Amino acid sequence: MLTKRVKGVEYAIREIAAVASEVAKTGKTIYNLNIGDPVQFDFKTPEFFSSALANASKNGKNYYVDSLGVIELRKEISGLLKTRNNLNVNAEDILITSGVTEAIHFIIASLIEDNKELLIPGPSYPLYINYTNFFDGKPVEYELNEAEGWEPNIDDLRKKITDKTQAILICSPNNPTGVLYNEKKVKEIINLAGEHNLFILSDEIYDQITFDKPYVCPASLSKDVPIIGLNGFSKTHLVTGWRLGYLYYHDPNNKLEELKNGIKKLARARLSASSIAQFAAIDILKTPSDHTIQMVRKLRERRDYSYKRIRQIEGLDCVKPNGAFYIFPRLDLEGLKKWKNDKDFAIELLKETGVCTVYGSGFGDYGKGHIRLTILPNEQILEKVYNEIENFIK
Ligand SMILES: Cc1ncc(COP(=O)(O)O)c(C=O)c1O
């Protein structure tokens, strides 16, 4: 009954949640460190955003809107790209989507078939792997090198370019490592893409969440290599459930015309992204707000605390994250002996302590031997979590 392509879909982040529901039935308190949703912690959606959404509906904006997105919102985003990243992107080169998730879907659906390859970072956010497989392509992971602070390994990337490669994906700040790509490496990736006539997909959903150094937008570093940027409102605007995102084209020499037209067709076929979320987003972007600054301040403290505690636990070690809200400790499985692999560890940890993390192998081969935790809970909860992990390992 069920197609092979659907049978093949895996999403460790949600799969572990299913185990957590079973554990919760036994009465155990569950510490949800598996899903990157700040709104479920003490990062509340600013009141003004909720009013803007309610007003959009009260003011009758409850209809299908332009499939490519409400033009006023696309103009606001064009202005934002100029002020933030000094990019000149016309409103017509911006497409509004139901989250970055839909943007990834549209791009991979338009680009991948018949074993064509997409170069993605390893470890990788699972969606890139899933969609590439779903459309009969081959996700090829290039190494993010843990020993070098999870920097992309350019030699490995170069070796993996073939005549089937369609594009190179960058995700910085990165999920699951929490690390920003260094600017020099981004430039090298852009040069490599240029040499091979490839373009770059840049997942920028965490661009405003950085702790130690400012974000540098890849498109601002590229003179003529085309870059498709993916971004949205979920994380930095604290509206994960609104499902609002966008993609933009930095395409100085118009190399992406055919792809752009294909993506437009897909957008029309699904009618439109949420109308009220789009009208609310216009108000939000027009109104200054310091909620992201406050969010980053809190997260930086939680990052510092998490990094300190994890490094004190025997059998765990980790690179210090400098963006997003994840930390990706390595398990010394040989030293710990008791657990076969990261999945075994994560599931047993969950069953015994209620601490719900995601096993690293859910992020592809390079994620093996790790677990991913979010640093979203407040310090009292984080303290309990790290105590639990420490006792569990002991
Ligand atoms: C790297 C990355 N890209 C995209 C998404 C999905 O974002 P959206 O809510 O805009 O669909 C996530 C969500 O966790 C993510 O971590």
Side-chain angles (χ1 to χ4, degrees):
M1 280 294 276
L2 197 62
T3 58
K4 270 204 290 269
R5 60 173 174 265
V6 171
K7 281 188 190 149
V9 173
E10 282 175 30
Y11 197 55
I13 304 170
R14 299 262 168 190
E15 267 164 38
I16 195 102
V19 182
S21 329
E22 287 307 306
V23 179
K25 283 186 195 149
T26 66
K28 213 179 225 0
T29 306
I30 303 292
Y31 301 96
N32 284 308
L33 301 178
N34 56 323
I35 294 184
D37 187 352
V39 189
Q40 296 190 37
F41 294 86
D42 60 342
F43 298 91
K44 291 298 158 219
T45 312
E47 284 260 332
F48 159 68
F49 295 4
S50 306
S51 310
L53 187 75
N55 287 340
S57 179
K58 281 189 202 142
N59 294 335
K61 313 282 195 195
N62 302 299
Y63 41 82
Y64 293 132
V65 288
D66 188 328
S67 294
L68 308 182
V70 173
I71 191 67
E72 291 90 322
L73 177 58
R74 294 160 75 200
K75 285 183 182 158
E76 281 301 321
I77 293 169
S78 161
L80 191 70
L81 291 170
K82 179 74 193 168
T83 45
R84 256 189 207 160
N85 304 322
N86 200 24
L87 292 180
N88 295 313
V89 181
N90 290 329
E92 290 70 34
D93 275 335
I94 294 168
L95 172 78
I96 308 295
T97 55
S98 299
V100 168
T101 305
E102 190 183 49
I104 292 171
H105 176 181
F106 284 171
I107 294 169
I108 297 184
S110 307
L111 202 61
I112 295 292
E113 62 185 351
D114 291 343
N115 282 322
K116 287 195 175 146
E117 296 170 5
L118 181 66
L119 274 165
I120 58 173
S124 163
Y125 179 54
L127 215 59
Y128 316 137
I129 299 179
N130 275 339
Y131 275 127
T132 309
N133 285 330
F134 193 84
F135 290 108
D136 290 332
K138 192 167 147 210
V140 178
E141 295 177 59
Y142 62 90
E143 183 190 28
L144 301 181
N145 187 342
E146 185 171 18
E148 286 180 21
W150 294 117
E151 286 294 346
N153 177 343
I154 305 296
D155 290 333
D156 187 56
L157 177 59
R158 185 180 290 109
K159 270 194 262 160
K160 288 175 176 166
I161 296 175
T162 71
D163 56 359
K164 289 190 183 305
T165 307
Q166 298 298 290
I168 302 172
L169 191 141
I170 294 177
C171 175
S172 172
N174 184 268
N175 177 3
T177 67
V179 173
L180 265 91
Y181 288 31
N182 130 359
E183 191 177 323
K184 186 170 157 277
K185 301 277 181 172
V186 175
K187 283 186 188 152
E188 285 175 24
I189 296 176
I190 293 170
N191 290 340
L192 201 55
E195 276 169 40
H196 293 268
N197 212 13
L198 296 169
F199 65 93
I200 289 177
L201 304 174
S202 170
D203 187 337
E204 303 171 359
I205 187 127
Y206 299 107
D207 66 344
Q208 299 304 297
I209 308 177
T210 63
F211 307 132
D212 308 316
K213 54 180 183 182
Y215 175 74
V216 180
C217 176
S220 70
L221 302 173
S222 164
K223 244 198 358 244
D224 47 17
V225 172
I227 297 193
I228 305 183
L230 311 164
N231 210 330
F233 291 78
S234 289
K235 315 279 181 173
T236 43
H237 287 88
L238 298 169
V239 292
T240 43
W242 287 16
R243 312 306 304 124
L244 191 63
Y246 57 91
L247 61 82
Y248 68 86
Y249 301 98
H250 168 77
D251 182 24
N253 299 332
N254 292 324
K255 291 187 180 162
L256 300 178
E257 262 334 285
E258 194 184 6
L259 182 70
K260 280 189 205 172
N261 288 333
I263 290 176
K264 276 185 191 162
K265 273 207 296 192
L266 281 180
R268 293 194 179 104
R270 65 71 158 109
L271 306 186
S272 76
S274 162
S275 63
I276 53 175
Q278 291 190 55
F279 283 106
I282 297 168
D283 284 353
I284 290 170
L285 291 184
K286 283 191 163 145
T287 313
S289 164
D290 68 351
H291 70 277
T292 314
I293 295 170
Q294 291 178 29
M295 178 189 193
V296 169
R297 188 174 37 73
K298 277 206 283 196
L299 282 171
R300 187 182 290 111
E301 285 169 9
R302 293 173 195 186
R303 184 276 312 255
D304 289 342
Y305 179 71
S306 299
Y307 179 64
K308 185 182 91 192
R309 284 298 309 270
I310 287 172
R311 295 198 355 136
Q312 286 165 351
I313 300 176
E314 223 177 298
L316 296 189
D317 197 5
C318 73
V319 173
K320 191 177 196 176
N322 52 14
F325 30 64
Y326 307 102
I327 194 158
F328 201 54
R330 181 159 44 84
L331 309 167
D332 173 15
L333 288 166
E334 264 175 42
L336 293 171
K337 289 199 174 68
K338 191 165 180 295
W339 298 280
K340 278 201 308 283
N341 53 38
D342 49 279
K343 188 169 183 181
D344 196 29
F345 178 92
I347 290 180
E348 220 180 291
L349 175 72
L350 171 58
K351 287 185 174 161
E352 218 165 278
T353 66
V355 173
C356 184
T357 63
V358 186
Y359 43 91
S361 47
F363 301 93
D365 283 348
Y366 288 100
K368 283 181 181 161
H370 296 76
I371 51 169
R372 191 196 74 174
L373 297 87
T374 68
I375 53 164
L376 292 166
N378 66 35
E379 206 164 299
Q380 286 92 311
I381 300 176
L382 286 177
E383 187 181 358
K384 281 191 198 153
V385 163
Y386 296 124
N387 290 346
E388 290 286 359
I389 297 179
E390 195 160 34
N391 291 334
F392 171 74
I393 290 180
K394 271 189 197 152

